[in-house]
Amino acid sequence: MLTVNRLNTSSKGRLLSCAVSWIKGAVLAALTVSFTAPVWAQDAQLKDSSFVALPGNKLEVRFDFDQPPPAPKAYMIDSPPRLVLDFWGVSNELGTRQMDVQSGQVDSLSFAQAEGRLRVVTNLNEPAQYRTFSEGSSLFIEFSDAGSNAAAAAPIVEPKKVAGPRMPVVEDDRTRVQGIDFERIDGGQGRVVITMSDDEAGLDILEEGNNVVLNLIGAGLSDNLEQRVDVQDFATPVMFIDSMVSGENTTILIKPTSEPYDYMAYQTGNQLFVDFKPLTAQEKADARDLFPFTGEKIDLNFQDVSVRSILQIIAEVAEMNLVISDQVDSTAGNITLRLKNVPWDQALDIILKSKGLDKREVGNVLMIGTSAEIAQREKEELESQQQVKELAPLVTDYVQVDFRRASELKSYIESAKLISERGFVLADDQTNVLMIRETAAQIEEIRRTLRKFDVEVAQILIEARVVTASSSFEKNLGIRWAGSATGSINGNDAYITNAVNNNDMLVDLGVSATSGFEIGFVSSNFALAAELTALQSDGVVEIVSQPKVITTNGTEATIESGQEVPYQVVEEDKTTIEFKDALLSLKVTPQVNPGDRISLDLTVNEDSLGQILENGERAINKNQVETSVVVNDGDTVVLGGVFRKETRNTVNKVPLLGDIPVVGNLFKSRQQSDSKEELLIFITPKLVRESLTVR
């Protein structure tokens, strides 16, 4: 008879203690099994747990066993508030280590199996009173407010200290836990530091559920250190650190977050360090590639035991059916090994490789035989399948293609080499039908393949918005002088003139004015006139181009709008006319990713006609962006932008006169201009849902 005792049922890592006994005396003498902890007789099993709210702000928790349970040994902790119950000789068969209550005074229940007892820790929201009582195979715990009169009237169970020696007050030679600290280190790592009085304590590290449990064997713990430490504010992979007495040992339970992490434990002198490092999704995948074993962790310690016996133990741990070839006994024989805390699939791989065996998994059935036997069996199966293909009768079938072209799917079938030399496939795009002549089994395989390709392809609407905004400001100020003078020199008439009322100016620093005024002075032999001119203009231009295009997933689409500009090309005294495109265009290839995220390969052009050149040809202003982006369905992304600003200040003046302070302004003209141009490109992809299609 084969017996396997499981101490817990965590999927991440569980420690299995195995006891194997056989009726035949020869096998019994050969088999020894190593236990991590002493074996206790399991008199009762916890089968179920539940809770119900009672009137008067009370809560009743119920435990159902397979037989009347033993009386629990209990004690209460005030900070943090919790009730601890120890059931000696009881095993946990709930299949879980945590039960959320979140009602009344109780937050949750935690179940831990260790040293032949089941420990139930009740995490309380606030200090509370309780009483326990049994009915048949059930044990009830009733919680009430600490100040409740009803609770005071009920028979309250006095808290009892946990079984096993605790840290004595007087000094002795026993190892003591002196401090439990936590710190955040570089890279967002969390470090738990356990300081002990010496380095004599043993260490056993287990992973139970999502917790890392440190068992300090032979170390005592004082009352003030038996508590929960909340370290969530440090933003590391560690959330809580629970310290508790476990018989003559100390147990420290470290609860990490649900995010991926890795940990490393090492000891220096009397200090034990446990570092928790956060992992990215890629790092976790890399670690899985380096260590692909994910099975339940077990302990195996055998001396000269038959390989068949060990394979039966592993199959029971893996909860798989087992088929072992008759050649395994004669080929593999016996084995001696010691494996501690290794995944069962790694242990199986080690045993098979060391004995020249191999395995095949079919559903939940594990088939094990020699490598040569399995290879020969697979070779025979392949030869049999080949004979079936060569001898099976051919049939003709017609497959209607719904969403793709028949000729396109035909090329897929031929590229996949699904058509044998005896068969053929024809495609008719007009009726979208494939004619296939093959064996019945091969036609079914072809149909399964076509069902993967002949599916409705998603359609995506891509909308682009090209915004071109420009603003300009220009300010000009100028002056023009004219005048005349007459007189005599040595009795002779002389004159200096520049007509005031025509365009012949003494000083012309004027501008093409939209406004201006003239002032003048006239006497019998002297005239002077000045004309002030000014110009100021503001302009704002905004151009919005909005090309849209719809296409199927993975298919390139292009939309263009614009004009062709002719220009002359002279080659070998021969003149020809060619054309350049000035286009607004959108070229895109979309790809729908998981989670309705759309990958886009984009090319956007926004061209415009520029100025006329000296040779009479027209320049083309080009704006283009070419990129790849990933956008959520319906979201808008800014692909990029170009901002251009130009500022000009020009001063024209009469030499010397224009440099005279203050007065020199009468012999100057000023021109000031500012211009800004900005280009922004927006892209919005949208999946065309079925509900929006026109039927």
Side-chain angles (χ1 to χ4, degrees):
M1 184 179 80
L2 177 65
T3 303
V4 178
N5 295 326
R6 294 180 180 146
L7 297 183
N8 56 68
T9 56
S10 170
S11 61
K12 185 176 181 181
R14 294 179 290 182
L15 180 63
L16 177 67
S17 296
C18 303
V20 179
S21 61
W22 297 88
I23 298 178
K24 296 183 179 180
V27 179
L28 180 62
L31 181 62
T32 61
V33 181
S34 173
F35 285 87
T36 301
V39 179
W40 297 81
Q42 306 295 338
D43 297 330
Q45 295 179 348
L46 178 59
K47 293 294 188 180
D48 195 13
S49 61
S50 60
F51 64 92
V52 62
L54 301 177
N57 196 25
K58 297 181 181 181
L59 181 74
E60 182 182 86
V61 179
R62 175 175 177 172
F63 299 118
D64 294 326
F65 301 80
D66 63 341
Q67 57 180 287
K73 297 182 179 181
Y75 67 95
M76 180 75 76
I77 298 176
D78 295 330
S79 180
R82 63 186 182 189
L83 172 66
V84 179
L85 301 175
D86 282 339
F87 296 86
W88 292 89
V90 176
S91 63
N92 180 17
E93 300 297 331
L94 293 177
T96 182
R97 293 185 172 276
Q98 183 85 13
M99 183 177 77
D100 293 329
V101 178
Q102 298 182 354
S103 177
Q105 300 82 9
V106 181
D107 178 71
S108 62
L109 298 176
S110 300
F111 305 89
Q113 187 85 44
E115 296 191 354
R117 75 171 184 272
L118 172 64
R119 170 167 288 184
V120 180
V121 180
T122 305
N123 300 305
L124 304 175
N125 296 319
E126 58 186 5
Q129 293 193 359
Y130 70 96
R131 71 186 184 97
T132 62
F133 57 94
S134 300
E135 290 184 4
S137 299
S138 299
L139 176 72
F140 298 84
I141 308 175
E142 183 178 293
F143 294 90
S144 59
D145 292 336
S148 172
N149 294 331
I156 303 301
V157 177
E158 292 294 331
K160 298 181 180 180
K161 294 297 183 180
V162 65
R166 301 175 63 84
M167 181 177 178
V169 178
V170 297
E171 294 293 334
D172 60 8
D173 295 335
R174 187 181 185 190
T175 301
R176 290 171 169 77
V177 177
Q178 296 178 333
I180 301 174
D181 301 315
F182 181 82
E183 61 179 324
R184 176 187 170 96
I185 59 178
D186 294 340
Q189 301 184 55
R191 171 172 292 176
V192 180
V193 183
I194 303 168
T195 304
M196 295 172 285
S197 59
D198 54 51
D199 58 356
E200 299 297 327
L203 175 62
D204 188 15
I205 302 179
L206 307 174
E207 290 187 55
E208 296 184 350
N210 193 37
N211 302 322
V212 176
V213 182
L214 308 178
N215 290 319
L216 302 177
I217 303 172
L221 182 70
S222 59
D223 292 341
N224 62 336
L225 292 178
E226 192 169 11
Q227 60 182 347
R228 163 171 283 195
V229 180
D230 187 345
V231 294
Q232 298 183 76
D233 293 339
F234 287 87
T236 69
V238 181
M239 298 175 61
F240 302 103
I241 305 172
D242 288 317
S243 307
M244 65 194 72
V245 173
S246 180
E248 296 183 357
N249 308 323
T250 295
T251 298
I252 298 176
L253 187 146
I254 305 174
K255 184 173 184 60
T257 63
S258 58
E259 298 298 325
Y261 70 90
D262 192 13
Y263 74 94
M264 178 179 62
Y266 56 95
Q267 185 170 351
T268 302
N270 64 335
Q271 283 191 318
L272 173 64
F273 300 89
V274 186
D275 293 344
F276 287 80
K277 175 186 176 182
L279 296 179
T280 63
Q282 183 60 42
E283 290 174 336
K284 185 178 180 181
D286 294 342
R288 189 184 302 113
D289 293 338
L290 293 175
F291 189 79
F293 304 107
T294 59
E296 176 184 338
K297 293 184 179 180
I298 61 175
D299 285 357
L300 296 174
N301 191 347
F302 297 99
Q303 296 178 357
D304 196 25
V305 180
S306 67
V307 173
R308 178 184 291 270
S309 303
I310 302 177
L311 295 177
Q312 289 175 345
I313 294 174
I314 293 177
E316 184 167 347
V317 173
E319 298 181 354
M320 298 185 69
N321 298 312
L322 180 64
V323 178
I324 302 178
S325 170
D326 294 337
Q327 297 185 20
V328 171
D329 291 334
S330 59
T331 302
N334 293 352
I335 189 173
T336 297
L337 77 164
R338 184 179 185 274
L339 300 176
K340 182 176 178 59
N341 199 30
V342 298
W344 69 261
D345 47 352
Q346 184 185 17
L348 177 62
D349 187 67
I350 292 172
I351 295 171
L352 296 180
K353 287 182 178 179
S354 64
K355 292 296 183 179
L357 303 178
D358 202 351
K359 72 176 187 303
R360 293 294 182 269
E361 295 184 28
V362 181
N364 66 339
V365 178
L366 185 62
M367 304 175 62
I368 296 178
T370 64
S371 299
E373 182 183 15
I374 292 180
Q376 180 63 28
R377 183 186 303 141
E378 291 180 344
K379 179 181 178 181
E380 293 174 355
E381 290 178 355
L382 291 175
E383 291 176 352
S384 176
Q385 293 174 4
Q386 185 63 30
Q387 291 178 359
V388 169
K389 290 182 179 179
E390 295 175 355
L391 301 177
L394 298 179
V395 296
T396 302
D397 196 5
Y398 299 89
V399 179
Q400 178 68 52
V401 180
D402 296 326
F403 302 103
R404 310 290 287 270
R405 287 189 180 91
S407 57
E408 181 182 4
L409 293 186
K410 175 191 174 183
S411 63
Y412 290 173
I413 295 172
E414 293 175 340
S415 298
K417 298 182 179 179
L418 296 178
I419 303 298
S420 66
E421 296 180 357
R422 300 169 61 202
F424 65 85
V425 57
L426 297 177
D428 180 25
D429 286 337
Q430 292 182 333
T431 58
N432 225 27
V433 172
L434 288 173
M435 176 183 176
I436 304 172
R437 184 164 180 80
E438 262 294 348
T439 63
Q442 193 63 19
I443 287 178
E444 183 59 31
E445 176 67 21
I446 293 174
R447 281 186 171 273
R448 284 195 297 267
T449 302
L450 291 177
R451 281 195 290 267
K452 296 294 185 180
F453 291 101
D454 188 21
V455 294
E456 186 174 6
V457 181
Q459 298 184 94
I460 303 100
L461 171 66
I462 298 95
E463 177 180 350
R465 289 189 295 278
V466 182
V467 180
T468 304
S470 63
S471 63
S472 62
F473 171 79
E474 186 175 357
K475 180 179 180 181
N476 297 331
L477 182 63
I479 187 170
R480 301 197 300 177
W481 291 95
S484 64
T486 59
S488 60
I489 300 176
N490 297 326
N492 298 319
D493 293 334
Y495 65 89
I496 299 173
T497 182
N498 188 278
V500 175
N501 296 320
N502 57 34
N503 292 326
D504 296 330
M505 310 297 293
L506 287 175
V507 177
D508 189 354
L509 296 176
V511 299
S512 300
T514 56
S515 62
F517 66 93
E518 294 182 5
I519 59 174
F521 175 79
V522 180
S523 67
S524 60
N525 59 358
F526 180 77
L528 180 65
E531 180 182 7
L532 296 177
T533 58
L535 169 66
Q536 179 172 327
S537 63
D538 295 284
V540 177
V541 178
E542 182 176 10
I543 302 173
V544 179
S545 305
Q546 194 169 356
K548 298 181 182 179
V549 65
I550 187 172
T551 183
T552 56
N553 185 31
T555 304
E556 182 184 282
T558 302
I559 185 171
E560 295 179 345
S561 175
Q563 52 186 310
E564 292 184 336
V565 179
Y567 65 97
Q568 294 181 353
V569 177
V570 178
E571 291 182 357
E572 298 179 356
D573 297 332
K574 183 179 180 181
T575 302
T576 58
I577 302 297
E578 295 186 1
F579 293 87
K580 290 184 179 180
D581 293 332
L583 301 175
L584 170 65
S585 67
L586 170 64
K587 181 185 294 184
V588 59
T589 303
Q591 180 67 47
V592 180
N593 299 330
D596 285 350
R597 292 175 60 81
I598 303 173
S599 173
L600 302 172
D601 293 332
L602 287 158
T603 301
V604 181
N605 284 296
E606 201 269 341
D607 303 338
S608 61
L609 297 179
Q611 61 183 351
I612 299 177
L613 304 178
E614 294 180 357
N615 58 3
E617 297 180 356
R618 196 70 176 262
I620 299 177
N621 302 323
K622 298 185 70 66
N623 293 297
Q624 178 177 327
V625 61
E626 185 173 351
T627 184
S628 296
V629 294
V630 179
V631 191
N632 288 326
D633 175 27
D635 287 356
T636 299
V637 62
V638 182
L639 294 185
V642 178
F643 180 79
R644 182 174 179 269
K645 180 179 179 180
E646 182 179 354
T647 301
R648 290 186 180 182
N649 288 296
T650 304
V651 177
N652 297 319
K653 62 183 179 181
V654 177
L656 299 178
L657 295 178
D659 296 329
I660 300 175
V662 181
V663 177
N665 291 325
L666 299 176
F667 300 94
K668 296 179 180 179
S669 68
R670 291 182 174 85
Q671 298 177 355
Q672 178 183 352
S673 64
D674 282 314
S675 63
K676 298 178 182 178
E677 294 182 2
E678 188 171 7
L679 172 67
L680 293 175
I681 300 175
F682 303 85
I683 291 291
T684 305
K686 297 179 182 178
L687 285 173
V688 179
R689 306 292 180 179
E690 184 179 359
S691 58
L692 300 179
T693 58
V694 179
R695 297 185 180 275

